[in-house]
Amino acid sequence: VRRVIVECTRGGRYSTIWLPFGSLKAIRLGRTRIQYCPIHRRFERVRKVDPRSLSRRARRRAQALRDLPIP
Ligand SMILES: [Zn+2]
């Protein structure tokens, strides 16, 4: 399953499953959604992060930190 790196409103980065369902709707809603943050243990708004904008170290750390396998 493909995972993407996201960043929550408090700056925590982790990887999550981001299903590209309803592409038109997703575009309208933008690149954010609300989900449970495994770092801060609460529901937060997250946005996708371009992995290329991160250093290799930050990218690996974010990829190693995963939330629950529920999309
Ligand atoms: Zn968070």
Side-chain angles (χ1 to χ4, degrees):
V1 179
R2 189 157 173 266
R3 284 175 177 265
V4 299
I5 296 174
V6 294
E7 184 176 276
C8 74
T9 50
R10 297 183 169 196
R13 294 195 198 101
Y14 57 96
S15 62
T16 189
I17 297 168
W18 193 292
L19 295 179
F21 60 87
S23 56
L24 290 177
K25 189 176 179 184
I27 289 169
R28 263 203 308 277
L29 290 174
R31 292 158 60 88
T32 67
R33 70 180 186 187
I34 293 172
Q35 67 177 47
Y36 188 78
C37 174
I39 299 170
H40 302 112
R41 300 174 187 279
R42 47 173 281 175
F43 280 89
E44 294 175 320
R45 182 175 293 275
V46 297
R47 66 179 179 85
K48 275 201 219 179
V49 173
D50 184 350
R52 290 168 298 185
S53 70
L54 303 173
S55 69
R56 183 184 296 182
R57 188 155 165 266
R59 191 165 60 234
R60 282 193 180 161
R61 193 166 49 201
Q63 285 169 338
L65 189 53
R66 298 180 169 189
D67 66 351
L68 296 172
I70 303 169

Coordinates of all heavy atoms in Angstrom, one line a residue:
V1 N 0.8 -1.2 0.0 CA 0.0 0.0 0.0 C 0.9 1.2 0.0 O 1.9 1.3 0.7 CB -0.9 0.0 1.3 CG1 -1.8 1.3 1.2 CG2 -1.8 -1.2 1.3
R2 N 0.5 2.2 -0.8 CA 1.3 3.4 -0.9 C 1.0 4.4 0.2 O -0.2 4.6 0.5 CB 1.0 4.0 -2.3 CG 1.9 5.2 -2.6 CD 2.0 5.4 -4.1 NE 2.7 6.7 -4.4 CZ 2.2 7.9 -4.5 NH1 0.9 8.0 -4.4 NH2 2.9 8.9 -4.7
R3 N 2.0 4.9 0.8 CA 1.8 5.9 1.9 C 2.5 7.2 1.5 O 3.4 7.2 0.7 CB 2.5 5.4 3.2 CG 1.7 4.3 3.9 CD 2.5 3.8 5.1 NE 1.7 2.8 5.8 CZ 0.9 3.1 6.8 NH1 0.9 4.3 7.3 NH2 0.2 2.2 7.4
V4 N 1.9 8.2 2.0 CA 2.4 9.6 1.7 C 2.8 10.2 3.0 O 2.3 9.8 4.1 CB 1.4 10.5 1.0 CG1 1.0 9.8 -0.4 CG2 0.2 10.7 1.8
I5 N 3.7 11.2 3.0 CA 4.0 11.9 4.2 C 3.1 13.1 4.4 O 2.8 13.9 3.4 CB 5.5 12.4 4.1 CG1 6.4 11.2 4.0 CG2 5.9 13.3 5.3 CD1 7.9 11.6 3.8
V6 N 2.6 13.2 5.6 CA 1.7 14.4 5.9 C 2.3 15.1 7.1 O 3.1 14.6 7.8 CB 0.3 13.9 6.2 CG1 -0.4 13.3 4.9 CG2 0.3 12.9 7.3
E7 N 1.8 16.4 7.2 CA 2.2 17.2 8.3 C 1.0 17.7 9.0 O 0.1 18.2 8.3 CB 3.1 18.4 7.8 CG 3.6 19.2 8.9 CD 4.5 20.3 8.4 OE1 5.7 20.0 8.2 OE2 4.1 21.4 8.1
C8 N 0.9 17.6 10.3 CA -0.3 18.0 11.0 C -0.2 19.5 11.4 O 0.9 20.1 11.1 CB -0.5 17.2 12.3 SG 0.6 17.5 13.6
T9 N -1.2 20.1 11.9 CA -1.2 21.5 12.2 C -0.2 21.9 13.2 O 0.2 23.0 13.3 CB -2.6 21.9 12.8 OG1 -3.0 21.0 13.8 CG2 -3.6 21.9 11.7
R10 N 0.3 20.9 14.0 CA 1.3 21.2 15.1 C 2.7 20.9 14.6 O 3.6 20.9 15.4 CB 1.0 20.4 16.3 CG -0.3 20.8 16.9 CD -0.6 20.1 18.2 NE -1.7 20.7 18.9 CZ -2.0 20.5 20.2 NH1 -1.2 19.7 20.9 NH2 -3.1 21.1 20.7
G11 N 2.8 20.5 13.3 CA 4.1 20.3 12.7 C 4.7 18.9 12.8 O 5.8 18.7 12.5
G12 N 3.9 18.0 13.3 CA 4.3 16.6 13.3 C 4.2 16.0 12.0 O 3.2 16.2 11.3
R13 N 5.2 15.2 11.6 CA 5.2 14.6 10.3 C 5.2 13.1 10.4 O 5.9 12.5 11.2 CB 6.4 15.0 9.5 CG 6.5 16.4 9.1 CD 7.5 16.6 8.0 NE 7.9 18.0 7.9 CZ 9.0 18.5 8.4 NH1 9.8 17.8 9.0 NH2 9.3 19.8 8.3
Y14 N 4.4 12.4 9.7 CA 4.3 11.0 9.7 C 3.7 10.5 8.3 O 3.3 11.3 7.5 CB 3.4 10.4 10.8 CG 2.0 11.0 10.9 CD1 1.0 10.2 10.3 CD2 1.7 12.2 11.4 CE1 -0.3 10.7 10.3 CE2 0.4 12.7 11.5 CZ -0.6 11.9 10.9 OH -1.9 12.4 10.9
S15 N 3.8 9.2 8.1 CA 3.3 8.7 6.8 C 1.9 8.0 7.1 O 1.6 7.5 8.1 CB 4.2 7.7 6.2 OG 4.4 6.6 7.1
T16 N 1.1 8.1 6.1 CA -0.3 7.7 6.2 C -0.8 7.2 4.8 O -0.2 7.5 3.8 CB -1.2 8.8 6.7 OG1 -2.5 8.2 7.0 CG2 -1.4 9.9 5.7
I17 N -1.8 6.4 4.8 CA -2.4 6.0 3.6 C -3.4 7.1 3.1 O -4.2 7.5 3.8 CB -3.2 4.7 3.8 CG1 -2.2 3.6 4.2 CG2 -3.9 4.3 2.5 CD1 -2.9 2.3 4.7
W18 N -3.2 7.5 1.9 CA -4.0 8.6 1.3 C -4.6 8.1 0.1 O -4.0 8.1 -1.0 CB -3.1 9.8 1.1 CG -3.9 11.0 0.8 CD1 -4.7 11.3 -0.3 CD2 -3.9 12.2 1.6 NE1 -5.2 12.6 -0.2 CE2 -4.8 13.1 1.0 CE3 -3.3 12.6 2.9 CZ2 -5.0 14.4 1.5 CZ3 -3.6 13.8 3.4 CH2 -4.4 14.7 2.7
L19 N -5.8 7.6 0.2 CA -6.5 7.0 -1.0 C -7.0 8.1 -1.9 O -7.6 9.1 -1.5 CB -7.7 6.2 -0.5 CG -7.4 4.9 0.3 CD1 -8.7 4.2 0.7 CD2 -6.5 4.0 -0.5
P20 N -6.7 7.9 -3.2 CA -7.1 9.0 -4.2 C -8.5 8.8 -4.6 O -8.8 8.9 -5.8 CB -6.1 8.7 -5.3 CG -5.8 7.3 -5.3 CD -5.9 6.9 -3.8
F21 N -9.4 8.5 -3.7 CA -10.8 8.3 -4.1 C -11.5 9.6 -4.4 O -11.1 10.6 -3.8 CB -11.6 7.5 -3.0 CG -11.6 8.2 -1.7 CD1 -12.6 9.2 -1.4 CD2 -10.7 7.9 -0.7 CE1 -12.6 9.8 -0.2 CE2 -10.7 8.6 0.5 CZ -11.7 9.6 0.8
G22 N -12.4 9.6 -5.3 CA -13.2 10.8 -5.7 C -12.3 11.9 -6.0 O -12.2 12.9 -5.3
S23 N -11.5 11.8 -7.0 CA -10.5 12.8 -7.4 C -11.0 14.2 -7.5 O -10.4 15.1 -7.0 CB -9.7 12.3 -8.6 OG -10.6 12.2 -9.7
L24 N -12.2 14.3 -8.2 CA -12.7 15.6 -8.4 C -13.1 16.3 -7.0 O -12.8 17.4 -6.8 CB -14.0 15.6 -9.2 CG -13.7 15.2 -10.7 CD1 -15.0 15.1 -11.4 CD2 -12.9 16.3 -11.3
K25 N -13.7 15.5 -6.2 CA -14.0 16.0 -4.8 C -12.8 16.4 -4.0 O -12.8 17.4 -3.3 CB -14.9 15.0 -4.1 CG -15.5 15.4 -2.8 CD -16.3 14.4 -2.2 CE -17.0 14.8 -0.9 NZ -17.7 13.8 -0.3
A26 N -11.8 15.5 -4.1 CA -10.5 15.7 -3.4 C -9.9 17.0 -3.8 O -9.4 17.8 -3.0 CB -9.6 14.6 -3.6
I27 N -10.0 17.3 -5.1 CA -9.4 18.6 -5.6 C -10.1 19.8 -5.0 O -9.6 20.7 -4.6 CB -9.4 18.6 -7.1 CG1 -8.4 17.6 -7.7 CG2 -9.1 20.0 -7.7 CD1 -8.6 17.4 -9.2
R28 N -11.5 19.6 -5.0 CA -12.2 20.7 -4.4 C -11.9 21.0 -2.9 O -11.9 22.1 -2.5 CB -13.7 20.4 -4.6 CG -14.4 21.1 -5.8 CD -15.9 21.3 -5.6 NE -16.5 20.1 -5.2 CZ -16.9 19.1 -6.0 NH1 -16.7 19.2 -7.3 NH2 -17.6 18.0 -5.6
L29 N -11.7 19.9 -2.2 CA -11.4 20.0 -0.8 C -10.0 20.4 -0.5 O -9.6 20.8 0.6 CB -11.7 18.6 -0.1 CG -13.1 18.2 0.0 CD1 -13.2 16.8 0.5 CD2 -13.9 19.2 0.8
G30 N -9.2 20.4 -1.6 CA -7.8 20.8 -1.4 C -7.0 19.6 -0.9 O -7.4 18.5 -1.0
R31 N -5.8 20.0 -0.3 CA -4.9 18.9 0.0 C -4.9 18.6 1.5 O -3.9 18.0 2.0 CB -3.4 19.4 -0.4 CG -3.3 19.5 -1.9 CD -2.1 20.4 -2.2 NE -0.9 20.0 -1.7 CZ 0.0 19.1 -2.3 NH1 -0.3 18.6 -3.4 NH2 1.1 18.8 -1.7
T32 N -5.9 19.0 2.2 CA -5.9 18.7 3.6 C -7.1 17.8 4.0 O -8.1 17.7 3.2 CB -6.1 20.0 4.5 OG1 -7.4 20.6 4.2 CG2 -5.0 21.0 4.1
R33 N -7.0 17.2 5.1 CA -8.1 16.4 5.7 C -7.9 16.3 7.2 O -6.8 16.6 7.7 CB -8.2 15.0 5.0 CG -7.1 14.1 5.4 CD -7.3 12.8 4.7 NE -6.3 11.8 5.2 CZ -6.1 10.6 4.7 NH1 -6.8 10.2 3.7 NH2 -5.2 9.8 5.2
I34 N -8.9 15.8 7.9 CA -8.8 15.6 9.3 C -8.6 14.2 9.6 O -9.4 13.4 9.2 CB -10.0 16.3 10.0 CG1 -10.0 17.8 9.8 CG2 -10.0 15.9 11.5 CD1 -11.2 18.5 10.3
Q35 N -7.6 13.8 10.4 CA -7.5 12.5 10.9 C -6.7 12.4 12.2 O -6.2 13.4 12.7 CB -6.7 11.7 9.8 CG -5.3 12.1 9.6 CD -4.6 11.2 8.6 OE1 -5.2 10.9 7.5 NE2 -3.4 10.7 8.9
Y36 N -6.7 11.2 12.7 CA -6.0 11.0 14.0 C -4.5 11.1 13.9 O -3.9 10.4 13.1 CB -6.5 9.7 14.6 CG -6.0 9.5 16.1 CD1 -6.7 10.1 17.1 CD2 -4.9 8.7 16.4 CE1 -6.3 9.9 18.4 CE2 -4.5 8.5 17.7 CZ -5.2 9.1 18.7 OH -4.8 9.0 20.0
C37 N -3.9 12.0 14.7 CA -2.5 12.1 14.6 C -1.8 11.2 15.7 O -2.1 11.3 16.9 CB -2.1 13.6 15.0 SG -0.3 13.9 15.1
P38 N -0.9 10.3 15.2 CA -0.3 9.4 16.1 C 0.8 10.1 17.0 O 1.2 9.5 18.0 CB 0.4 8.4 15.2 CG 0.7 9.2 13.9 CD -0.4 10.2 13.8
I39 N 1.2 11.3 16.7 CA 2.2 12.0 17.5 C 1.5 12.7 18.6 O 2.0 12.6 19.8 CB 3.0 13.0 16.6 CG1 3.7 12.2 15.4 CG2 4.0 13.8 17.4 CD1 4.3 13.1 14.4
H40 N 0.5 13.4 18.3 CA -0.2 14.2 19.3 C -1.4 13.6 19.9 O -2.0 14.1 20.8 CB -0.5 15.6 18.8 CG 0.7 16.3 18.2 ND1 0.9 16.6 16.9 CD2 1.8 16.8 18.9 CE1 2.1 17.2 16.8 NE2 2.6 17.4 17.9
R41 N -1.7 12.4 19.4 CA -2.9 11.6 19.9 C -4.2 12.4 19.9 O -4.8 12.4 21.0 CB -2.5 11.0 21.2 CG -1.3 10.1 21.2 CD -0.8 9.6 22.5 NE 0.4 8.9 22.5 CZ 0.6 7.6 22.1 NH1 -0.5 7.0 21.8 NH2 1.7 7.1 22.1
R42 N -4.5 13.0 18.9 CA -5.8 13.7 18.8 C -6.1 13.9 17.3 O -5.2 13.7 16.4 CB -5.7 15.1 19.5 CG -4.4 15.9 19.1 CD -4.4 17.3 19.7 NE -5.3 18.1 18.8 CZ -5.6 19.4 19.1 NH1 -5.1 19.9 20.2 NH2 -6.4 20.1 18.4
F43 N -7.3 14.3 17.0 CA -7.7 14.5 15.6 C -7.2 15.9 15.2 O -7.4 16.9 15.9 CB -9.2 14.4 15.4 CG -9.7 13.0 15.3 CD1 -10.0 12.3 16.5 CD2 -9.7 12.4 14.1 CE1 -10.4 11.0 16.4 CE2 -10.1 11.0 14.0 CZ -10.5 10.3 15.2
E44 N -6.5 15.9 14.1 CA -6.0 17.2 13.6 C -6.1 17.3 12.1 O -6.2 16.2 11.4 CB -4.5 17.3 13.9 CG -4.2 17.4 15.4 CD -2.7 17.3 15.7 OE1 -2.0 16.6 15.0 OE2 -2.3 18.1 16.6
R45 N -6.0 18.5 11.6 CA -6.0 18.6 10.1 C -4.6 18.4 9.6 O -3.6 18.8 10.2 CB -6.4 20.1 9.8 CG -6.5 20.3 8.3 CD -7.0 21.7 8.0 NE -8.4 21.8 8.4 CZ -9.4 21.5 7.5 NH1 -9.2 21.0 6.3 NH2 -10.7 21.6 7.9
V46 N -4.5 17.6 8.6 CA -3.1 17.3 8.0 C -3.1 17.7 6.6 O -4.1 17.8 5.9 CB -2.8 15.8 8.1 CG1 -2.7 15.4 9.6 CG2 -3.8 15.0 7.4
R47 N -1.9 18.0 6.1 CA -1.8 18.3 4.7 C -0.6 17.4 4.1 O 0.3 17.0 4.8 CB -1.4 19.8 4.4 CG -0.1 20.2 5.0 CD 0.2 21.6 4.7 NE 1.5 22.0 5.3 CZ 2.6 21.9 4.7 NH1 2.7 21.3 3.5 NH2 3.8 22.2 5.2
K48 N -0.7 17.1 2.9 CA 0.3 16.4 2.2 C 1.6 17.2 2.1 O 1.6 18.4 1.9 CB -0.1 16.0 0.8 CG -0.9 14.7 0.7 CD -0.8 14.2 -0.7 CE -2.1 13.7 -1.2 NZ -2.1 13.2 -2.6
V49 N 2.7 16.5 2.3 CA 4.0 17.1 2.2 C 4.8 16.6 1.0 O 4.8 15.3 0.8 CB 4.9 16.9 3.5 CG1 6.3 17.4 3.3 CG2 4.2 17.5 4.7
D50 N 5.4 17.4 0.2 CA 6.2 17.0 -0.9 C 7.5 16.4 -0.3 O 8.2 17.1 0.3 CB 6.5 18.1 -1.8 CG 7.3 17.7 -3.0 OD1 7.7 16.5 -3.1 OD2 7.4 18.5 -3.9
P51 N 7.7 15.1 -0.5 CA 8.9 14.5 0.1 C 10.2 15.1 -0.3 O 11.2 15.1 0.4 CB 8.9 13.0 -0.4 CG 7.5 12.8 -1.0 CD 6.9 14.1 -1.3
R52 N 10.2 15.7 -1.5 CA 11.4 16.4 -2.0 C 11.7 17.6 -1.3 O 12.8 18.2 -1.4 CB 11.2 16.7 -3.5 CG 11.2 15.4 -4.4 CD 10.7 15.7 -5.8 NE 9.4 16.2 -5.8 CZ 8.7 16.5 -6.9 NH1 9.2 16.3 -8.1 NH2 7.4 17.0 -6.8
S53 N 10.7 18.2 -0.5 CA 11.0 19.4 0.2 C 11.7 19.1 1.6 O 12.0 20.0 2.3 CB 9.7 20.1 0.5 OG 8.9 19.4 1.4
L54 N 11.8 17.8 1.9 CA 12.4 17.4 3.2 C 13.8 16.9 3.0 O 14.2 16.4 1.9 CB 11.6 16.3 3.8 CG 10.1 16.5 4.1 CD1 9.4 15.2 4.6 CD2 9.9 17.6 5.1
S55 N 14.6 17.0 4.0 CA 15.9 16.4 4.0 C 15.7 14.9 4.0 O 14.7 14.4 4.4 CB 16.8 16.9 5.1 OG 16.3 16.3 6.3
R56 N 16.8 14.2 3.6 CA 16.7 12.7 3.6 C 16.4 12.2 5.0 O 15.6 11.3 5.2 CB 18.0 12.1 3.0 CG 17.9 10.6 2.9 CD 19.2 10.0 2.5 NE 19.6 10.4 1.2 CZ 20.7 10.0 0.6 NH1 21.5 9.2 1.2 NH2 21.0 10.4 -0.6
R57 N 17.0 12.8 6.0 CA 16.8 12.4 7.3 C 15.4 12.6 7.8 O 14.8 11.7 8.4 CB 17.8 13.1 8.2 CG 17.9 12.6 9.6 CD 19.2 13.0 10.3 NE 19.2 12.8 11.7 CZ 18.9 13.8 12.5 NH1 18.7 15.0 12.1 NH2 18.8 13.6 13.8
A58 N 14.9 13.8 7.5 CA 13.5 14.1 7.9 C 12.5 13.2 7.2 O 11.5 12.8 7.8 CB 13.2 15.6 7.7
R59 N 12.8 12.9 6.0 CA 11.9 12.1 5.2 C 11.9 10.6 5.7 O 10.8 10.1 5.9 CB 12.4 12.1 3.7 CG 11.4 11.4 2.7 CD 11.8 11.8 1.3 NE 13.1 11.3 1.0 CZ 14.0 12.0 0.4 NH1 13.8 13.3 0.2 NH2 15.2 11.5 0.1
R60 N 13.1 10.1 6.1 CA 13.1 8.8 6.6 C 12.4 8.7 8.0 O 11.7 7.7 8.3 CB 14.5 8.3 6.8 CG 15.1 7.9 5.5 CD 16.4 7.2 5.7 NE 17.0 6.8 4.4 CZ 18.3 6.4 4.3 NH1 19.1 6.5 5.3 NH2 18.8 6.0 3.1
R61 N 12.6 9.7 8.8 CA 11.9 9.7 10.1 C 10.4 9.7 9.9 O 9.7 9.0 10.6 CB 12.4 10.9 10.9 CG 12.0 10.8 12.4 CD 12.8 11.8 13.1 NE 12.8 13.2 12.5 CZ 13.6 14.1 12.7 NH1 14.6 13.9 13.6 NH2 13.5 15.3 12.2
A62 N 9.9 10.5 9.0 CA 8.5 10.6 8.8 C 7.9 9.3 8.2 O 6.8 8.9 8.5 CB 8.2 11.8 7.8
Q63 N 8.7 8.7 7.3 CA 8.2 7.4 6.7 C 8.2 6.3 7.8 O 7.4 5.4 7.7 CB 9.1 7.0 5.6 CG 8.9 7.9 4.3 CD 9.9 7.7 3.3 OE1 11.1 7.3 3.5 NE2 9.6 8.1 2.0
A64 N 9.1 6.4 8.7 CA 9.2 5.3 9.7 C 8.0 5.4 10.7 O 7.7 4.5 11.4 CB 10.5 5.4 10.5
L65 N 7.5 6.6 10.9 CA 6.4 6.9 11.8 C 5.1 6.8 11.1 O 4.7 7.6 10.3 CB 6.6 8.3 12.4 CG 5.7 8.7 13.6 CD1 5.8 7.6 14.7 CD2 6.1 10.0 14.1
R66 N 4.4 5.7 11.4 CA 3.1 5.4 10.7 C 1.9 5.5 11.6 O 2.0 5.1 12.8 CB 3.2 4.1 10.1 CG 4.3 4.0 9.0 CD 4.3 2.6 8.4 NE 5.2 2.6 7.3 CZ 5.3 1.6 6.4 NH1 4.5 0.5 6.6 NH2 6.1 1.6 5.4
D67 N 0.8 5.9 11.1 CA -0.4 5.8 11.9 C -1.1 4.5 11.7 O -0.5 3.5 11.1 CB -1.3 7.0 11.5 CG -1.8 6.8 10.0 OD1 -1.4 5.9 9.3 OD2 -2.7 7.6 9.7
L68 N -2.2 4.3 12.2 CA -2.9 3.0 12.1 C -3.2 2.7 10.6 O -3.5 3.6 9.8 CB -4.3 3.1 12.8 CG -4.1 3.3 14.3 CD1 -5.5 3.5 15.0 CD2 -3.5 2.1 15.0
P69 N -3.2 1.4 10.3 CA -3.4 1.1 8.9 C -4.9 1.1 8.4 O -5.4 0.3 7.8 CB -2.9 -0.4 8.8 CG -3.1 -0.9 10.2 CD -3.0 0.3 11.1
I70 N -5.5 2.2 8.8 CA -6.9 2.4 8.4 C -6.9 3.7 7.6 O -6.6 4.8 8.1 CB -7.8 2.6 9.6 CG1 -7.7 1.4 10.5 CG2 -9.3 2.9 9.2 CD1 -8.4 1.6 11.9
P71 N -7.3 3.6 6.4 CA -7.3 4.8 5.5 C -8.3 5.9 6.0 O -9.4 5.5 6.5 CB -7.7 4.3 4.1 CG -8.0 2.9 4.2 CD -7.7 2.4 5.6
Ligands
ZN1 ZN -0.1 16.1 15.3

